[in-house]
Structure formats: structure tokens, C-alpha cells
């Protein structure tokens, strides 16, 4: 069954401390800007009404960087920044905070990770189309490995409000089996994330 005529939203998780990186990960230099810019560019390229950036550690600086990027590409009107006060709990807290701001008619949510700067934009519309066609969720894959962003359909959105710990949306997806639609990505950008400083060369 199709999901109806509501619009999709994007969530960019940007609350982590990046401790293995040594701190300040999302503001590290990347491709002429900062690392967060890559995830934001993908979020704004997705077929979404707006991009919700969830801040936590270093929240003010991350919010300022997100706003600067959105202004630079003419998307300031679609940026919404929220702060997860309990971000130290893990990714679940960030997703709960974002879910609290979703519109009632939300057709689904793209969940982007702030440290994944190379998500291929070509995979975004097919992910949305899979959920529009009735899939409870969709994710990209590359060479047999599931990647990001995940798109969570409306039937699963209430579960975002109950997430805890650092598993993110994995606990929602794990029981879907083959109902989770996988969309083949054109490159490994759906798998590439920055964990340590050496990854910036990737």
C-alpha cells in the first residue's frame, strides 16, 4: 500500500563527540569545507521537505557550520537545527529528538550520519520511491553490504520515539527481513564513514 501524499524529511545525526577521532570530527576540513558539509549536501539533495540537524557535543559550533553551509547553497529555509540534550546516551537519543519534530503527515525519514560525506545522490530518489511504494523501510547497498542513509517509512516512525542506547535505527530494521528494500548504490559512498583522522584521506 502506498504511503500517501505527505512529504519526506531528512535527519542528519551530528551529535557525537567523535572521541576516536580526537574531537571536532564534523568540523574537520573536507573537500574545501568541513566534514559535515558532505552529509548536508546529500540531505538537501534528497526529495525532502527539510533537513533536521541534531546537535549534541559542540552543539553551537556544529549548528553554526550547518547554517553557514545551508546559506551558501541557498537552502537556509529548509534547515532545522535541534539539540539533543541527552546526546551522551547515544544515537537513540538523537533519533528520539528528531522524531519529536517530525510533521504529522511525514511520508518517511531519511537518516543521514554526519560523518558520511560521500553518499551518492543518485541513490536518494530510488530509496524514497521504494517507501512510497509501500516498503516499511529502504536502504542502499553496495557489493552486498547494507549502507546509509536508511529511509524509515511512516508505519515505523512511532518506534523512533522509543529508541535508547547507541544502536540507532538498527533495532527497528533488524526484524524486517526481506521487507527492508535494498537499493543498489553506484559506489561505496554509502559505506564510507570517517572514524579516525586517517579516514579523511579516503
Amino acid at each position: 500500500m502506498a504511503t500517501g501524499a505527505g512529504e519526506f524529511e531528512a535527519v542528519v545525526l551530528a551529535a557525537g563527540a567523535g572521541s576516536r577521532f580526537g574531537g571536532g570530527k564534523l568540523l574537520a576540513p573536507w573537500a574545501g569545507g568541513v566534514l559535515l558539509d558532505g552529509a548536508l549536501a546529500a540531505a538537501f539533495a534528497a526529495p525532502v521537505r527539510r533537513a533536521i540537524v541534531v546537535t549534541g557535543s559542540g552543539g553551537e559550533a556544529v549548528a553554526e557550520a550547518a547554517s553557514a553551509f545551508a546559506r551558501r547553497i541557498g537552502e537556509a529555509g529548509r534547515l532545522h537545527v535541534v539539540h539533543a540534550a541527552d546526546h551522551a546516551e547515544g544515537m537513540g537519543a538523537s533519533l528520539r529528538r528528531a522524531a519529536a519534530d517530525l510533521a504529522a503527515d511525514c511520508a518517511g525519514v531519511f537518516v543521514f550520519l554526519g560523518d558520511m560525506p560521500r553518499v551518492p545522490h543518485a541513490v536518494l530518489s530510488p530509496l524514497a520511491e521504494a517507501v512510497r511504494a509501500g516498503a516499511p523501510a529502504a536502504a542502499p547497498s553496495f557489493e552486498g553490504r547494507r549502507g546509509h542513509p536508511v529511509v524509515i517509512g511512516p508505519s515505523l516512525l512511532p518506534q523512533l520515539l522509543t529508541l535508547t542506547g547507541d544502536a540507532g535505527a538498527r533495532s527497528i530494521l533488524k526484524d524486517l527481513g526481506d521487507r527492508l528494500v535494498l537499493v543498489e548504490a553506484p559506489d561505496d559512498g554509502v559505506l564510507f564513514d570517517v572514524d579516525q583522522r586517517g579516514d579523511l584521506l579516503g
Side-chain angles (χ1 to χ4, degrees), residues 54-100:
V54 185
T55 67
S57 179
E60 288 186 13
V62 171
E64 187 174 320
S67 296
F69 179 78
R71 288 194 302 270
R72 193 158 70 245
I73 65 169
E75 293 285 12
R78 287 205 295 152
L79 176 70
H80 183 59
V81 179
V82 298
H83 183 72
D86 49 357
H87 61 89
E89 176 193 318
M91 210 177 292
S94 292
L95 283 167
R96 285 199 314 270
R97 179 64 185 87

Side-chain angles (χ1 to χ4, degrees), residues 5-17:
E7 294 183 79
F8 287 85
E9 307 252 24
V11 170
V12 180
L13 300 180

Side-chain angles (χ1 to χ4, degrees), residues 25-38 65 69 72 200:
K25 178 167 67 171
L26 297 182
L27 303 182
W30 173 270
V34 299
L35 182 61
L36 180 61
D37 293 351
F69 179 78
R72 193 158 70 245
L200 291 171

